[in-house]
Amino acid sequence: MTLRQDIKPALWSPSPVAWETAPGLVAYPEAVARMEREAEEIARGRAPERVWLLEHPPLYTAGSSAKESDLVVPARFPVFKTGRGGQYTYHGPGQRVAYVMLDLKRRGTDVRAFVAGLEQWLIEALALLGVEGERREDRVGVWVRTPNGEAKIAAIGIRLRHWVSFHGISLNVAPDLSHFDGIVPCGVRDHGVTSLTGLGLATTMAEADQALKTAFAGIFGPTR
């Protein structure tokens, strides 16, 4: 499925978005604290919009709709409650997290269009890597077809404050997929989780990052 053609112009902005990649693993509380600071500065017009790429140590996060029963193994990894939308998700090494801090006052103030844009960004990045990603009307995120049925390869969870987004997306490049067993990922019990490695691809994190950067520009505008 492709994004409605009227969504892209609404989301696109000519102002360059700062693009940053963190080295090593970033602790979750540190990342959230920085996102909140950045979002406030962007809302006040004192900082550029930003996409921050990073990896976390193994952890689970609980979104605003998380159900306690979906935390299957509570003691496996640290669990952080977070203000983003969605349910339980996993972050860890080998998964590219992109925290997206964009000012939606410049981009149409249409939250549904913004989420659709994030999905399309992932779909187009996956296409550059040779993978056909798909969206589902009843499930947020990006899905792929596998010999064992469809599986989720990328998740989306955002929060808005003063119309500035934070949190964002995660793409499974080469994480340990067994780490997802401690939760019901995003509350979906009937489908699995996969990664680029799980699909048989030897994609590096640098290659995934380049695909994300290229696809982002076509939907949201230039980066710097």
Side-chain angles (χ1 to χ4, degrees), residues 187-222:
V188 178
R189 297 179 180 274
D190 298 331
H191 304 287
V193 176
T194 192
S195 64
L196 294 172
T197 298
L199 296 175
L201 300 175
T203 307
T204 66
M205 193 66 77
E207 290 169 338
D209 289 350
Q210 185 57 55
L212 286 167
K213 189 173 186 179
T214 299
F216 181 92
I219 297 171
F220 295 103

Side-chain angles (χ1 to χ4, degrees), residues 3-207:
L3 187 64
R4 291 201 327 265
Q5 291 304 304
D6 61 324
I7 291 179
K8 282 190 179 182
L11 293 173
W12 196 89
S13 170
S15 300
V17 175
W19 191 271
E20 177 184 352
T21 304
L25 301 180
V26 179
Y28 190 75
E30 174 187 331
V32 171
R34 181 183 173 186
M35 275 193 291
E36 291 182 343
R37 292 195 303 270
E38 292 278 359
E40 183 65 27
E41 291 296 293
I42 292 167
R44 293 174 179 270
R46 298 196 298 224
E49 297 175 297
R50 182 175 301 273
V51 173
W52 185 23
L53 305 184
L54 51 81
E55 293 174 84
H56 286 304
L59 58 92
Y60 298 129
T61 65
S64 57
S65 302
K67 300 176 182 177
E68 202 62 36
S69 59
D70 287 347
L71 183 58
V72 180
V73 187
R76 186 165 189 183
F77 297 125
V79 180
F80 296 93
K81 292 186 176 180
T82 178
R84 62 160 176 80
Q87 302 184 47
Y88 279 103
T89 193
Y90 165 77
H91 295 313
Q95 181 192 72
R96 174 53 83 208
V97 173
Y99 287 133
V100 182
M101 291 160 272
L102 299 182
D103 186 352
L104 297 195
K105 294 191 298 294
R106 309 178 194 178
R107 299 173 185 270
T109 62
D110 186 332
V111 178
R112 292 184 66 183
F114 179 56
V115 173
L118 294 175
E119 288 177 334
Q120 189 66 20
W121 172 30
L122 286 161
I123 288 169
E124 294 187 11
L126 286 167
L128 292 172
L129 298 169
V131 174
E132 184 177 359
E134 301 176 355
R135 64 166 52 85
R136 294 289 179 265
E137 295 300 327
D138 59 338
R139 295 176 245 135
V140 176
V142 176
W143 302 78
V144 294
R145 299 178 188 271
T146 78
N148 298 318
E150 64 183 34
K152 193 169 193 176
I153 196 167
I156 296 171
I158 64 165
R159 184 176 181 182
L160 297 178
R161 183 177 293 162
H162 306 305
W163 285 107
V164 175
S165 67
F166 55 114
H167 297 281
I169 62 101
S170 59
L171 173 64
N172 296 332
V173 179
D176 185 337
L177 293 177
S178 71
H179 289 181
F180 286 88
D181 295 344
I183 56 172
V184 178
C186 301
V188 178
R189 297 179 180 274
D190 298 331
H191 304 287
V193 176
T194 192
S195 64
L196 294 172
T197 298
L199 296 175
L201 300 175
T203 307
T204 66
M205 193 66 77
E207 290 169 338

